[in-house]
Amino acid sequence: MIVSDFSRAALRSKLASEGLNLRTGPVVTRIHSTEAAVIDGIARQYADYPVAEAGEFVDFHVAVTRPAMLRRWWRPQAFFLVDGDSLFNPLPADQAFPLLEWGMNWCISSHCHQYLIIHAAVVERNGAAVVLPAPPGSGKSTLCAALVQRGWRLLSDELALIDPRSGMLVPIPRPVSLKNASIDIIRKFAPAAVMNPSVFETVKGTVAHMQAPGDSVRQAHRAAAPRWIILPRYMAGQAASLEVMSKAQGVMQLAENAFNYNIHDRNGFNTLGAVMDQADCYRFTYSQLDDAIEVFSRLETRT
């Protein structure tokens, strides 16, 4: 069963009562909420995702809810709960769906230590994956969104999960988070992309989420080998260009963007070393998405 098999009324009832057991790659999250923004966001962004069967193990129990007080009506707020506990400051109720997405990212990055977790986008084509580690504002998510709209498979736009035993990248495809100017850029670049309405004045500015392609969701069981580590940087007016980066610099970029490198200790270093044995490293500068797609297409032909 997938989310789109539920009618809107049935989905609302499921989220309000026992919760929806949403499977995203290797993770199952039970979600409770009566917030309209959450119900609409799940119906739109997670339509193609499988629902775990009753009795299957659930990794995280989360809820997006309003406080049980008068404030729920005056300047209403939304809380993100994990196992019934509120771990973050509340946000305005109209930010309920981004709050769910950020909370789910936190659950994975804080608890899924069976993987080495890197803050990076990951896309794949023909069995070869690109890891795009980058700080906020680098254009990582914009580039990721453009690539998956041109046939690359989405593994993640936020969390690269590396299996230390195999060195493979484990897919966890979820909606791509776009911010500020990137939202209109992708809407113009890919008019058919399914996107949520923009949410304004969040801690990250204006935010909208783009639906992961259905093929990426259906192939979430297929791990991919890391082939390239590419550090992207958006620079207005700059031609798209690749510059070779040493493997030592590549290791440092992955380590600096890792959420749990210290937990893995020596095994984390060995895991990154195994990734570098398979991957070429580049710095990538771009301003136009069409030019960026062409560069990545040429890179792919070298495999």
Side-chain angles (χ1 to χ4, degrees):
M1 183 176 226
I2 62 175
V3 170
S4 63
D5 289 333
F6 290 92
S7 68
R8 184 59 61 93
L11 179 61
R12 184 184 302 112
S13 175
K14 186 82 170 173
L15 286 163
S17 54
E18 69 266 32
L20 180 75
N21 291 347
L22 183 70
R23 181 180 296 283
T24 53
V27 174
V28 175
T29 305
R30 181 171 295 166
I31 304 170
H32 288 85
S33 187
T34 59
E35 290 296 310
V38 170
I39 298 165
D40 291 344
I42 290 175
R44 181 181 292 110
Q45 294 296 321
Y46 288 99
D48 295 320
Y49 287 72
V51 177
E53 299 291 337
E56 286 191 58
F57 181 80
V58 173
D59 296 277
F60 304 110
H61 296 76
V62 308
V64 178
T65 186
R66 296 194 190 188
M69 58 183 86
L70 288 176
R71 180 102 188 208
R72 69 183 284 120
W73 307 115
W74 178 71
R75 293 185 181 177
Q77 295 179 319
F79 286 82
F80 180 80
L81 307 180
V82 182
D83 293 329
D85 294 326
S86 177
L87 303 180
F88 313 107
N89 291 329
L91 295 179
D94 64 350
Q95 299 179 22
F97 185 74
L99 177 60
L100 172 66
E101 288 295 303
W102 298 333
M104 290 170 70
N105 284 341
W106 178 87
C107 287
I108 295 164
S109 61
S110 298
H111 293 90
C112 291
H113 299 312
Q114 67 270 40
Y115 305 110
L116 180 61
I117 305 175
I118 312 293
H119 181 207
V122 187
V123 296
E124 174 268 344
R125 182 179 270 177
N126 294 329
V130 181
V131 180
L132 301 163
S138 62
K140 165 183 66 66
S141 292
T142 312
L143 179 59
C144 174
L147 288 166
V148 302
Q149 289 296 323
R150 293 296 185 268
W152 290 73
R153 177 167 68 110
L154 176 68
L155 275 70
S156 177
D157 91 306
E158 286 287 342
L159 304 172
L161 306 184
I162 306 174
D163 184 345
R165 296 166 299 180
S166 65
M168 299 288 279
L169 291 155
V170 176
I172 186 162
R174 301 226 327 272
V176 177
S177 177
L178 298 169
K179 296 175 283 295
N180 303 314
S182 295
I183 299 169
D184 285 338
I185 289 172
I186 293 300
R187 282 182 172 144
K188 292 175 182 176
F189 180 79
V194 177
M195 296 179 65
N196 277 7
S198 296
V199 179
F200 303 95
E201 298 181 353
T202 79
V203 293
K204 299 184 179 185
T206 301
V207 173
H209 286 83
M210 185 191 84
Q211 185 188 80
D215 283 346
S216 297
V217 176
R218 288 185 285 273
Q219 296 183 63
H221 61 284
R222 287 182 51 231
R227 180 64 183 84
W228 301 282
I229 310 300
I230 299 180
L231 189 69
R233 184 183 180 193
Y234 172 83
M235 293 185 66
Q238 294 293 308
S241 65
L242 280 173
E243 175 189 352
V244 173
M245 183 170 60
S246 72
K247 288 182 180 283
Q249 291 173 317
V251 167
M252 291 302 298
Q253 288 296 329
L254 292 182
E256 288 174 4
N257 284 278
F259 287 100
N260 59 351
Y261 184 70
N262 60 325
I263 292 173
H264 283 262
D265 197 27
R266 181 178 293 274
N267 195 36
F269 178 81
N270 292 336
T271 299
L272 292 186
V275 168
M276 286 301 141
D277 287 341
Q278 306 176 64
D280 295 328
C281 303
Y282 297 93
R283 298 183 188 277
F284 177 58
T285 303
Y286 77 99
S287 61
Q288 299 297 318
L289 288 175
D290 286 323
D291 294 341
I293 299 298
E294 178 61 27
V295 169
F296 274 69
S297 296
R298 291 201 303 267
L299 189 67
E300 183 204 357
T301 63
R302 301 178 193 175
T303 56

